[in-house]
């Protein structure tokens, strides 16, 4: 199995810089027609500058040729980051994206992160 890790980087989540998000929706698509994938998702947040705090850690099994979606509550955080770790025989076949939603469930365009916009990282950050 091969591992690939990604991050959105920190996303400012205040009304001072647009519309704040209440939730972040994570979408996972496994385009591999044979092999399942396991995706670990870590979401960190900040209530004050320069403090990175783990908020969610979960693993999702995504069967071959299928999709998964999870929603995470982030209302009230100053900033957040979504990290992904993909474990699969062909991790490049797993397509990731996340979208911020406002308090009414509308997509906040400034909080849309597609696969091509994710940054590759060596590993997930430790959650202490």
């Amino acid at each position: 199995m091969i591992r690939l890790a990604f991050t959105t980087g920190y996303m400012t989540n205040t009304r001072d810089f647009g519309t704040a998000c209440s939730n972040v929706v994570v979408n996972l698509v496994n385009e591999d027609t044979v092999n399942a994938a396991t995706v670990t998702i870590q979401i960190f947040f900040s209530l004050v500058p320069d403090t990175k705090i783990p908020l969610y850690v979960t693993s999702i099994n995504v069967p071959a040729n299928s999709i998964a979606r999870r929603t995470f509550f982030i209302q009230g955080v100053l900033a957040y980051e979504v990290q992904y770790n993909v474990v699969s025989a062909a991790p490049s076949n797993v397509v990731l994206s996340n979208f911020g939603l406002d308090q009414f469930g509308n997509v906040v365009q400034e909080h849309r992160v597609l696969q091509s916009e994710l940054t590759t990282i060596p590993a997930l950050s430790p959650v202490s």
Side-chain angles (χ1 to χ4, degrees):
M1 291 296 189
I2 302 169
R3 297 176 183 265
L4 281 177
F6 303 94
T7 182
T8 59
Y10 257 86
M11 316 256 316
T12 300
N13 190 41
T14 67
R15 283 186 170 67
D16 294 343
F17 296 100
T19 303
C21 297
S22 295
N23 294 286
V24 62
V25 176
V26 171
N27 300 296
L28 315 169
V29 181
N30 186 357
E31 296 293 354
D32 195 311
T33 58
V34 176
N35 301 296
T38 300
V39 180
T40 300
I41 300 165
Q42 292 184 174
I43 298 178
F44 295 90
F45 77 102
S46 177
L47 291 174
V48 295
D50 304 327
T51 304
K52 184 175 180 173
I53 304 165
L55 183 60
Y56 297 102
V57 178
T58 190
S59 284
I60 301 167
N61 184 47
V62 187
N65 197 33
S66 67
I67 62 172
R69 174 182 293 147
R70 298 293 186 275
T71 302
F72 301 94
F73 183 73
I74 58 166
Q75 184 174 349
V77 302
L78 175 66
Y80 68 95
E81 172 191 21
V82 181
Q83 292 185 358
Y84 301 94
N85 188 57
V86 179
V87 179
S88 175
S92 61
N93 286 341
V94 178
V95 182
L96 313 165
S97 64
N98 55 260
F99 294 82
L101 303 178
D102 68 14
Q103 62 187 353
F104 304 107
N106 300 310
V107 172
V108 178
Q109 289 299 322
E110 298 85 358
H111 289 255
R112 178 211 75 185
V113 182
L114 303 177
Q115 174 83 26
S116 61
E117 299 167 323
L118 292 169
T119 300
T120 304
I121 54 177
L124 296 178
S125 295
V127 288
S128 50

